């Protein structure tokens, strides 16, 4: 866990803060569409931000089940470390 958190801290400095806010809202709502409404962007923009984070960290952040999403353990750790 410590190694993961160190890697998150080192890598996250280059990412936009908006992406982490979006990540937290998706975790909170369990939905890209609901998170999009709260951060005032389109669901497509939310999807692109999450994909950017996934590519940057090399890990999936959500388990997608239809319209709903469940955060992975990594997403929760990433969210907690960015607060």
């Amino acid at each position: 866990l410590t190694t993961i958190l160190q890697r998150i801290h080192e890598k996250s400095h280059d990412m936009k803060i908006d992406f982490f806010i979006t990540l937290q809202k998706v975790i909170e709502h369990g939905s890209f569409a609901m998170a999009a409404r709260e951060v005032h962007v389109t669901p497509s923009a939310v999807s692109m931000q999450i994909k950017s984070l996934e590519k940057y960290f090399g890990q999936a952040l959500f388990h997608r089940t239809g319209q709903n999403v469940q955060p992975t353990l990594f997403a929760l750790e990433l969210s907690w470390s960015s607060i």
Side-chain angles (χ1 to χ4, degrees), residues 15 32 47-64 72 74 78:
M15 294 302 295
F32 285 13
S47 180
M48 289 188 325
Q49 288 180 16
I50 297 302
K51 285 179 184 175
S52 291
L53 287 170
E54 289 175 332
K55 182 177 179 183
Y56 191 79
F57 289 105
Q59 294 196 42
L61 296 175
F62 293 95
H63 302 287
R64 290 154 173 86
T72 62
F74 183 76
L78 184 58

Side-chain angles (χ1 to χ4, degrees), residues 9-23:
H9 181 70
E10 291 167 4
K11 286 189 162 195
S12 64
H13 290 295
D14 297 334
M15 294 302 295
K16 292 184 177 186
I17 190 72
D18 295 351
F19 289 18
F20 293 100
I21 292 169
T22 298
L23 171 66

